[in-house]
Amino acid sequence: MRIAVAIDGPAGAGKSTIAKLIGEKFNLMYIDTGAMYRAVALMAKRNGISEKEVEKLSSLVKSLNMKFINNKLFVNGEDVSKKIREVKISNIVSLYATVSEVRSLLVSLQQSMSQKYNVIMDGRDIGTVVLIDAPFKFYLVASPEVRARRRFNELKNKDIEVSYESILKDIKKRDYIDSTREVTPLRKAEDAIEINTSNLTIEEVVNEISNHIYKKVN
Ligand code: CDP
């Protein structure tokens, strides 16, 4: 059976951790679409292109060869996995993600990846746009404070110094931009299962999603 799993939700809801684990469990290729938007922001910044320069931005995106190898993102042969997580990229990525030309190029790329492999994708528009026919759709939510605390601990473990308050502010700002943008804003697909992860462990969320998958597959 062809499996495609869509996981959407705001920053810090646990999407990438959960998607990686479910991917391993069901032998699915994990595609982190947020990393692709982050890569666009990184390359645009390097080339001095603002989110308002739509033509330049489109040519830039077309020139990027993005590949996931062992959950790392390579852009034109360079491993950008670490650089795209820096706070300066988190602060600007959502602005680039509002540009419809950028979105349609990345969405096509994501759809072509899903045609080649059994995938689990996480992002903001996977269940509503990218994998609209996916048999499994989940929407993860948690309070902004819980999400900021998780992101804070994650960065602290990586020795990245940043305050809890600034993360909370960034998360709230991105929630706002992502859910109010004109082009395909963040929202739950009608057929997605919503899971509030605020008081759940990673294992509990993985089990809940796995049970839904088993139910349909068996
Ligand atoms: O990991 P985190 O939840 O902080 O964010 P991410 O998944 O890396 O995504 C970074 C940003 O890219 C989001 O805040 C969105 O603005 C944008 N994004 C999007 O618009 N559509 C997607 N499918 C994935 C990400």
Side-chain angles (χ1 to χ4, degrees):
M1 176 185 172
R2 196 160 167 66
I3 297 186
V5 183
I7 303 209
D8 288 300
K15 300 181 302 291
S16 63
T17 310
I18 304 297
K20 268 184 215 151
L21 291 168
I22 297 284
E24 280 166 22
K25 197 161 168 180
F26 292 90
N27 201 18
L28 308 171
M29 179 168 176
Y30 168 48
I31 295 170
D32 175 352
T33 65
M36 298 168 76
Y37 287 92
R38 285 170 178 271
V40 169
L42 173 72
M43 294 304 182
K45 190 165 191 287
R46 273 190 194 167
N47 289 282
I49 303 173
S50 87
E51 77 281 3
K52 296 197 178 76
E53 296 172 285
V54 176
E55 269 180 35
K56 281 191 188 170
L57 206 48
S58 296
S59 325
L60 174 80
V61 178
K62 285 180 193 149
S63 75
L64 304 178
N65 177 13
M66 297 200 196
K67 272 199 187 124
F68 286 96
I69 304 174
N70 297 329
N71 287 341
K72 289 200 164 111
L73 177 59
F74 288 79
V75 177
N76 297 342
E78 176 191 351
D79 178 2
V80 297
S81 313
K82 276 211 178 111
K83 293 207 177 79
I84 58 171
R85 301 284 152 210
E86 288 177 9
V87 176
K88 57 180 187 237
I89 301 302
S90 301
N91 286 338
I92 58 168
V93 54
S94 295
L95 294 176
Y96 289 96
T98 59
V99 181
S100 69
E101 287 77 358
V102 169
R103 302 201 70 81
S104 59
L105 290 166
L106 291 190
V107 167
S108 307
L109 195 57
Q110 291 152 7
Q111 287 173 334
S112 70
M113 289 173 172
S114 78
Q115 274 147 23
K116 283 194 216 135
Y117 309 97
N118 280 335
V119 296
I120 179 159
M121 271 190 200
D122 74 349
R124 304 292 190 283
D125 57 348
I126 311 304
T128 51
V129 178
V130 182
L131 300 179
I132 203 157
D133 295 324
F136 304 105
K137 296 184 185 177
F138 300 94
Y139 191 76
L140 304 188
V141 295
S143 72
E145 289 73 19
V146 168
R147 293 186 281 124
R149 178 63 55 195
R150 287 178 184 158
R151 189 50 53 89
F152 175 71
N153 291 335
E154 187 184 322
L155 294 173
K156 208 167 108 190
N157 286 337
K158 289 184 187 155
D159 285 330
I160 299 174
E161 240 182 81
V162 54
S163 71
Y164 167 81
E165 284 69 28
S166 68
I167 294 179
L168 182 61
K169 204 170 139 208
D170 168 60
I171 278 188
K172 285 186 174 167
K173 189 179 98 194
R174 280 202 284 144
D175 281 358
Y176 179 75
I177 300 177
D178 291 347
S179 54
T180 57
R181 72 175 172 230
E182 269 175 43
V183 202
T184 60
L186 167 68
R187 64 174 178 82
K188 176 182 164 300
E190 271 174 26
D191 51 349
I193 294 167
E194 181 166 324
I195 303 175
N196 187 328
T197 69
S198 296
N199 298 310
L200 297 179
T201 62
I202 291 169
E203 203 190 346
E204 285 170 328
V205 182
V206 168
N207 286 343
E208 184 164 345
I209 292 184
S210 300
N211 289 340
H212 284 292
I213 298 180
Y214 287 135
K215 246 191 259 163
K216 266 204 192 171
V217 170
N218 293 324

Short mmCIF file of all heavy atoms in Angstrom, two decimals, residues 3 14 20 92 111 115 144 186 212:
data_model
loop_
_atom_site.label_atom_id
_atom_site.label_comp_id
_atom_site.label_asym_id
_atom_site.label_seq_id
_atom_site.Cartn_x
_atom_site.Cartn_y
_atom_site.Cartn_z
N ILE A 3 1.91 4.68 1.14
CA ILE A 3 1.66 5.43 2.38
C ILE A 3 2.17 6.86 2.23
O ILE A 3 3.28 7.08 1.75
CB ILE A 3 2.36 4.76 3.58
CG1 ILE A 3 1.77 3.37 3.81
CG2 ILE A 3 2.20 5.60 4.84
CD1 ILE A 3 2.27 2.68 5.06
N GLY A 14 6.06 19.82 17.91
CA GLY A 14 6.67 18.48 17.98
C GLY A 14 6.70 17.77 16.63
O GLY A 14 7.03 16.59 16.57
N LYS A 20 10.12 12.17 12.36
CA LYS A 20 11.32 11.33 12.20
C LYS A 20 11.08 9.93 12.77
O LYS A 20 11.41 8.93 12.15
CB LYS A 20 12.51 11.95 12.96
CG LYS A 20 13.34 12.86 12.10
CD LYS A 20 14.53 13.36 12.89
CE LYS A 20 14.83 14.78 12.46
NZ LYS A 20 15.44 15.61 13.45
N ILE A 92 13.49 35.31 9.92
CA ILE A 92 13.09 35.85 8.61
C ILE A 92 12.35 34.85 7.72
O ILE A 92 11.73 35.23 6.74
CB ILE A 92 14.32 36.39 7.82
CG1 ILE A 92 15.38 35.30 7.63
CG2 ILE A 92 14.91 37.62 8.52
CD1 ILE A 92 16.47 35.67 6.62
N GLN A 111 5.87 17.68 -4.03
CA GLN A 111 4.94 16.70 -4.62
C GLN A 111 5.70 15.69 -5.47
O GLN A 111 5.38 14.51 -5.48
CB GLN A 111 3.88 17.42 -5.45
CG GLN A 111 2.89 18.13 -4.55
CD GLN A 111 1.91 19.02 -5.27
OE1 GLN A 111 2.20 19.52 -6.36
NE2 GLN A 111 0.75 19.24 -4.67
N GLN A 115 5.96 11.49 -5.06
CA GLN A 115 5.60 10.50 -6.08
C GLN A 115 6.65 9.40 -6.20
O GLN A 115 6.38 8.30 -6.64
CB GLN A 115 5.40 11.20 -7.43
CG GLN A 115 3.96 11.70 -7.54
CD GLN A 115 3.84 12.97 -8.34
OE1 GLN A 115 4.71 13.28 -9.16
NE2 GLN A 115 2.79 13.72 -8.11
N PRO A 144 1.58 28.21 23.09
CA PRO A 144 2.84 28.90 22.71
C PRO A 144 3.91 28.75 23.79
O PRO A 144 5.08 28.58 23.46
CB PRO A 144 2.42 30.36 22.56
CG PRO A 144 0.95 30.34 22.35
CD PRO A 144 0.41 29.10 23.01
N LEU A 186 -1.59 28.62 7.44
CA LEU A 186 -1.60 27.44 8.30
C LEU A 186 -3.00 27.18 8.82
O LEU A 186 -3.61 28.04 9.45
CB LEU A 186 -0.66 27.68 9.49
CG LEU A 186 -0.76 26.69 10.64
CD1 LEU A 186 -0.25 25.31 10.22
CD2 LEU A 186 0.05 27.18 11.84
N HIS A 212 -3.43 5.07 14.76
CA HIS A 212 -4.30 5.49 13.65
C HIS A 212 -3.83 4.85 12.34
O HIS A 212 -4.64 4.43 11.53
CB HIS A 212 -4.27 7.01 13.50
CG HIS A 212 -5.08 7.71 14.54
ND1 HIS A 212 -6.46 7.62 14.60
CD2 HIS A 212 -4.71 8.49 15.58
CE1 HIS A 212 -6.90 8.34 15.62
NE2 HIS A 212 -5.86 8.87 16.23
#
